């Protein structure tokens, strides 16, 4: 909802300036992430299937929990897009015509996903779980600009953005390659986490037990 809604607002407020649209979209998305992670951490701040898969691979949750979270992430993303479309007077569902393809964009998604995982798990494994929200919000805001793909870095968000033909949309035909790049980035990120942070401080273990990992 934050990504799509701010994208529509940005395109309406600054219709002739794509750079300003991206700035508005990135600031709103990053700020929303900080707020949502801070508010929802005590319940669940699991918004990203790739992060959830890495958590499962690291043994931080069981398979049943991971499957449930991933299903909820995709459902929540689709619902958020529908609501954003309706808020701005658009059809609830309109398939995007915004094609995004090419090796540069796919590489951008790999890098964006690796970076996101390192920011999340690096912050947690260094014993600073309370700062994850700010780290993630800051990273995504920046990654909008330094990655060629504008950092989707999330399969659920990618699928959700296929049903809005707005600034933030992605054509359904472009989505599978983006998701594949995200999964590849997740795999690389998993091994980097294991290599860079081989031990987990007690604080991080407690956080994982409470399921507050982002």
């Amino acid at each position: 909802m934050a990504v799509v809604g701010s994208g529509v607002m940005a395109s309406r407020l600054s219709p002739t300036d794509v750079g300003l649209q991206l700035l508005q979209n990135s600031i709103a998305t990053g700020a929303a992430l900080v707020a949502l992670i801070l508010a929802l951490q005590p319940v669940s701040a699991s918004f990203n299937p790739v992060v959830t898969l890495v958590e499962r691979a690291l043994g931080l949750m069981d398979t049943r929990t991971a499957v449930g979270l991933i299903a909820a992430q995709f459902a929540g993303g689709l619902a958020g897009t529908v609501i954003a479309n309706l808020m701005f007077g658009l059809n609830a569902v309109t398939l995007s015509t915004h094609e995004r393809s090419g090796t540069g964009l796919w590489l951008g998604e790999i890098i964006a996903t690796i970076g996101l995982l390192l920011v999340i798990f690096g912050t947690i494994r260094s014993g600073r779980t309370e700062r994850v929200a700010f780290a993630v919000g800051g990273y995504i805001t920046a990654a909008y600009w330094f990655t060629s793909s504008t950092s989707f870095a999330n399969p659920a968000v990618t699928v959700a953005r296929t049903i809005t033909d707005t600034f933030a949309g992605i054509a359904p035909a472009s989505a599978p390659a983006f998701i594949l790049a995200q999964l590849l980035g997740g795999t690389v990120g998993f091994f980097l986490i294991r290599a860079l942070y081989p031990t987990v401080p007690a604080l991080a273990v407690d956080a994982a037990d409470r399921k507050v990992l982002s």
Side-chain angles (χ1 to χ4, degrees):
M1 191 186 305
V3 174
V4 174
S6 64
V8 176
M9 180 67 81
S11 64
R12 292 183 178 180
L13 292 176
S14 310
T16 62
D17 192 332
V18 178
L20 185 54
Q21 291 173 16
L22 185 62
L23 179 63
Q24 294 161 338
N25 194 203
S26 63
I27 292 174
T29 302
L33 276 170
V34 173
L36 289 171
I37 293 172
L38 284 175
L40 297 177
Q41 256 188 353
V43 180
S44 171
S46 295
F47 308 142
N48 190 327
V50 172
V51 177
T52 297
L53 288 172
V54 171
E55 288 182 288
R56 176 64 190 93
L58 291 170
L60 300 176
M61 66 175 63
D62 58 34
T63 300
R64 180 181 179 184
T65 300
V67 171
L69 285 173
I70 290 171
Q73 290 155 4
F74 278 99
L78 291 168
T81 300
V82 168
I83 293 170
N85 284 337
L86 292 174
M87 281 196 298
F88 286 93
L90 305 172
N91 292 332
V93 174
T94 303
L95 295 182
S96 176
T97 57
H98 190 172
E99 295 185 4
R100 302 175 189 258
S101 63
T103 54
L105 296 184
W106 301 330
L107 177 60
E109 274 303 281
I110 293 171
I111 297 302
T113 307
I114 292 172
L116 177 61
L117 290 170
L118 290 179
V119 165
I120 292 171
F121 290 97
T123 304
I124 291 171
R125 291 196 165 206
S126 60
R128 295 173 293 176
T129 303
E130 74 285 353
R131 300 181 186 178
V132 169
F134 302 101
V136 171
Y139 174 78
I140 290 298
T141 301
Y144 260 72
W145 292 88
F146 73 74
T147 64
S148 57
S149 64
T150 66
S151 184
F152 284 47
N154 184 327
V157 166
T158 303
V159 170
R161 288 167 69 168
T162 65
I163 62 169
T164 182
D165 195 19
T166 60
F167 177 79
I170 178 173
S174 300
F178 264 57
I179 293 171
L180 182 60
Q182 292 156 6
L183 293 173
L184 179 57
T187 301
V188 175
F190 166 75
F191 287 109
L192 284 174
I193 292 163
R194 292 291 299 272
L196 295 173
Y197 306 97
T199 59
V200 185
L203 180 61
V205 173
D206 290 343
D209 289 342
R210 294 194 303 272
K211 296 183 177 66
V212 299
L213 295 177
S214 172

